[in-house]
Amino acid sequence: MHGSLTRRRRAGLALLTSAALAAASALVAATAVTAPASAATSATVSVNTGTSLGTIPAAGHGVNVAVYDGNMNSSPISGLLRDAGFTAVRYPGGSYGDIYHWKTHTTEGGYVAPGTDFDTYVSTVRSAGAQPVVIANYGTGTAQEAADWVRYANVTKGYGVKYWEIGNEVYGNGHYGSGWEQDNHSDKSPKAYANNVLQYISAMKAVDSSIKVGVVLTTPGGWPDGVVGSGDTADWNNTVMSIVKDKADFVIVHWYPGATSAADSLTKVSQIAPMVSTIRSLLTKYAGSGASGIGIAVTEANLNYQLNSATTALGAADSYLTWFENGVMNVDWWSLHNGTSSSPKTNDDGTADYNDFGILSSGSSGEPPVNTPLPPYYGLAMVGRAGSPGDTLVKTSSSSSLLAAHAVRTSGGVNVVLINKDLNNSTTVSLSYSGFSPGGAATVVQWRKGATSISTSSASSATSITLPPYSVTVLKAAGGGTQSPSPSPSASPSRTPSPSPSPSLSPGAGQGCSAAYKVVNSWPGGFQAEVTVTNTRTTAISGWTVGWSFRNGQTIGSSWNASVSQSGAAVTAKNVSYNGALAAGASASFGFTADGAGDVPSPVACTAG
């Protein structure tokens, strides 16, 4: 994306100027749909916990922020990011990555808002429990500038920034005729980019060999994929990878499919598996035996149709989980705040259309107050509710094209994500499980069209549920099973190197509840952990307390979803007002950041209130 408060729309992946944005908005506005009285339909979902589709990646669940956004570090942001479960935040903002100079916090020809500097950004991201994803300036920068940034971030400051991209949409530098990405290199060919990338990688890794560096590719099937430029012998992707080979740690694509209707928009997830397969074939062709170690990152994603609709919320949840199931290491939504240049209209699904790529309102004219969550925020927050980094994605099937299903095996059971794409009808779903026996009551976490919050309730069973029209539901089932997930022969395993140390688990038993402690993220001098509390009684509990003792001098920093205190090595975590009551077999999770090594304490005790 370009960096301006009026973002560029796209037709497919082709560029539309800011001037065209207002004109294009008329093409995607639609009259309200008056839904008839809801009538129940039915569907079946099968969950096969014995077939693994990989794991939720450590930095998978991401969003973009930009230095022109004066609200990107405002006080509510870290909490909103954390509550949505975001584990990655990309900076400094799409095409701004190719004009941004970190040392001076300036851009060439762009606007930089106060309070958006690198250190403040990292503070917000770490407070949210997420990881930074940083675009090193290729267009107007140098390999030395990028290496100095790595040194400042990881040596001087000890931030442990792991993921670095070399430029944004560099193929949009004019080499193929259309130019929106600033590139001051005299040679703008893919060959020149690839050779320069090797210099960047060498210089940056000489400072910190543990970082992961990504190279820009064009999206399969999107412009200019397949186009051979003047003086070239092959298209961008083949040229770049023939030179870079296995020297990059991951490759980068962007995904803005666009659509002709709400119904069409919700089918675009079907593009994901073939796109990943095409990229994997490209990597195998040029990286050989090293291909399996190269990750795929989708560092900008947006359905690009009726941007603030409930439709987009449903599509966001469905697409993120589909990307993860196909082995992608990171997906970053465009964007946190964006702004708009058009008056509100009405989407196909009846929701308000502000023509704003942001998941939070910028407070522009006609929009809700600044930082108000828009529907896509809730869709992405439901991805955060589906599971945590390291949890296993397992195979599902649905009998209905209007019902998308995904499932995640956690330490406490199985979470089934059900997305009802039927705008007018509720759907009663019968669920069957293979390799897992759901026990007793289940927890229902749900967002539906028009809701301004995510609800949590209890269900008597994990084998049947009625879903409202146009909704995303996570059905959390506790229970057990003897079958361990095995890799699916048709699924691409996750290629993402996990943070060091890898996520690890320590289950702890106690009186009426159990607690599973897992390290989900780490950096030099600190780590993030998650603890899942499960009611092991056959009746409901009204509260819980978890306790453990650190072994190596660790100290708690920030925490969420629990009241956490520390005395010496001993840590006590108590439920907060909204998550203490747990039905039989139900679970609640809390998290925290801490200074020190991310080892797992034992024992971890849990006592029900």
Side-chain angles (χ1 to χ4, degrees):
M1 277 290 186
H2 271 324
S4 66
L5 288 176
T6 300
R7 308 304 298 161
R8 64 184 170 94
R9 291 275 296 173
R10 306 192 188 197
L13 288 174
L15 172 69
L16 288 177
T17 65
S18 295
L21 176 58
S25 65
L27 298 177
V28 299
T31 58
V33 176
T34 302
S38 179
T41 63
S42 61
T44 60
V45 167
S46 299
V47 180
N48 183 353
T49 64
T51 302
S52 169
L53 303 180
T55 60
I56 297 178
H61 187 25
V63 66
N64 278 269
V65 296
V67 293
Y68 53 77
D69 171 19
N71 295 307
M72 65 170 277
N73 293 309
S74 59
S75 57
I77 295 304
S78 61
L80 286 162
L81 292 172
R82 184 173 58 246
D83 290 347
F86 284 114
T87 54
V89 181
R90 182 178 183 245
Y91 175 92
S95 296
Y96 261 54
D98 281 313
I99 61 172
Y100 179 70
H101 298 288
W102 72 271
K103 290 182 181 179
T104 56
H105 189 48
T106 59
T107 60
E108 299 190 22
Y111 168 73
V112 175
T116 61
D117 59 276
F118 178 64
D119 292 299
T120 307
Y121 150 76
V122 172
S123 177
T124 298
V125 172
R126 294 181 70 172
S127 179
Q131 296 191 58
V133 177
V134 176
I135 310 166
N137 185 342
Y138 175 80
T140 63
T142 64
Q144 186 61 55
E145 181 183 41
D148 289 345
W149 200 353
V150 174
R151 179 176 292 103
Y152 177 80
N154 293 356
V155 178
T156 303
K157 303 296 287 190
Y159 291 151
V161 178
K162 187 171 185 177
Y163 302 104
W164 299 80
E165 302 177 55
I166 310 303
N168 185 54
E169 296 166 352
V170 184
Y171 47 80
N173 60 8
H175 181 69
Y176 296 102
S178 184
W180 64 87
E181 201 78 11
Q182 185 68 34
D183 185 356
N184 290 351
H185 295 87
S186 58
D187 185 348
K188 296 177 173 55
S189 68
K191 179 179 179 181
Y193 171 70
N195 283 318
N196 287 328
V197 159
L198 294 178
Q199 295 179 28
Y200 273 73
I201 293 173
S202 177
M204 295 165 74
K205 290 202 169 189
V207 175
D208 182 353
S209 61
S210 71
I211 64 172
K212 305 300 177 185
V213 182
V215 58
V216 173
L217 298 183
T218 63
T219 304
W223 189 91
D225 183 44
V227 176
V228 178
S230 176
D232 299 338
T233 59
D235 66 359
W236 181 277
N237 286 356
N238 280 278
T239 302
V240 169
M241 290 311 302
S242 70
I243 296 169
V244 174
K245 300 184 187 302
D246 61 353
K247 299 300 187 296
D249 298 294
F250 61 97
V251 295
I252 302 150
V253 294
H254 291 171
W255 187 59
Y256 292 90
T260 57
S261 67
D264 181 46
S265 183
L266 291 175
T267 69
K268 296 305 179 181
V269 293
S270 64
Q271 298 178 353
I272 292 172
M275 285 171 55
V276 173
S277 178
T278 297
I279 297 168
R280 282 284 160 217
S281 296
L282 179 78
L283 297 179
T284 299
K285 179 178 180 180
Y286 294 110
S289 61
S292 62
I294 300 175
I296 299 172
V298 187
T299 58
E300 288 184 23
N302 193 298
L303 295 184
N304 200 25
Y305 180 78
Q306 298 189 350
L307 308 173
N308 315 120
S309 62
T311 300
T312 296
L314 271 58
D318 196 13
S319 62
Y320 265 56
L321 292 167
T322 303
W323 285 115
F324 297 162
E325 290 164 351
N326 282 273
V328 164
M329 61 178 272
N330 165 254
V331 189
D332 302 316
W333 193 259
W334 188 271
S335 61
L336 185 67
H337 297 103
N338 190 84
T340 180
S341 64
S342 62
S343 300
K345 298 179 177 64
T346 304
N347 293 311
D348 290 355
D349 58 29
T351 55
D353 175 22
Y354 304 109
N355 196 36
D356 187 334
F357 278 93
I359 60 173
L360 302 177
S361 173
S362 292
S364 301
S365 177
E367 289 193 319
V370 65
N371 290 328
T372 299
L374 301 173
Y377 172 86
Y378 294 110
L380 293 168
M382 292 301 290
V383 176
R385 303 301 199 275
S388 301
D391 287 341
T392 302
L393 297 145
V394 297
K395 188 176 182 180
T396 61
S397 61
S398 167
S399 67
S400 172
S401 61
L402 291 180
L403 177 65
H406 307 271
V408 180
R409 184 80 185 246
T410 72
S411 60
V414 173
N415 297 341
V416 184
V417 183
L418 301 167
I419 303 171
N420 184 6
K421 301 180 182 182
D422 192 325
L423 177 62
N424 301 319
N425 300 306
S426 60
T427 300
T428 298
V429 183
S430 298
L431 298 98
S432 62
Y433 299 82
S434 174
F436 173 77
S437 299
T443 300
V444 178
V445 183
Q446 190 172 84
W447 180 84
R448 60 186 298 176
K449 182 174 82 84
T452 56
S453 63
I454 293 171
S455 65
T456 302
S457 60
S458 297
S460 59
S461 169
T463 59
S464 180
I465 186 172
T466 298
L467 309 174
Y470 247 42
S471 60
V472 185
T473 301
V474 180
L475 182 64
K476 297 188 173 185
T482 58
Q483 187 173 9
S484 297
S486 58
S488 168
S490 61
S492 299
S494 173
R495 312 291 181 176
T496 312
S498 299
S500 179
S502 298
S504 49
L505 185 66
S506 175
Q511 299 179 4
C513 58
S514 64
Y517 181 117
K518 180 167 58 175
V519 176
V520 297
N521 193 2
S522 64
W523 52 86
F527 66 97
Q528 176 191 348
E530 178 185 81
V531 180
T532 300
V533 177
T534 301
N535 177 9
T536 58
R537 291 179 177 172
T538 57
T539 58
I541 61 174
S542 59
W544 44 262
T545 302
V546 178
W548 68 87
S549 291
F550 283 129
R551 295 176 291 190
N552 294 299
Q554 296 94 333
T555 55
I556 297 288
S558 60
S559 63
W560 49 95
N561 295 335
S563 176
V564 181
S565 60
Q566 182 172 1
S567 176
V571 178
T572 301
K574 295 180 179 292
N575 65 274
V576 288
S577 60
Y578 53 82
N579 64 359
L582 296 177
S587 299
S589 295
F590 67 91
F592 62 88
T593 59
D595 294 329
D599 51 7
V600 179
S602 181
V604 181
C606 185
T607 303

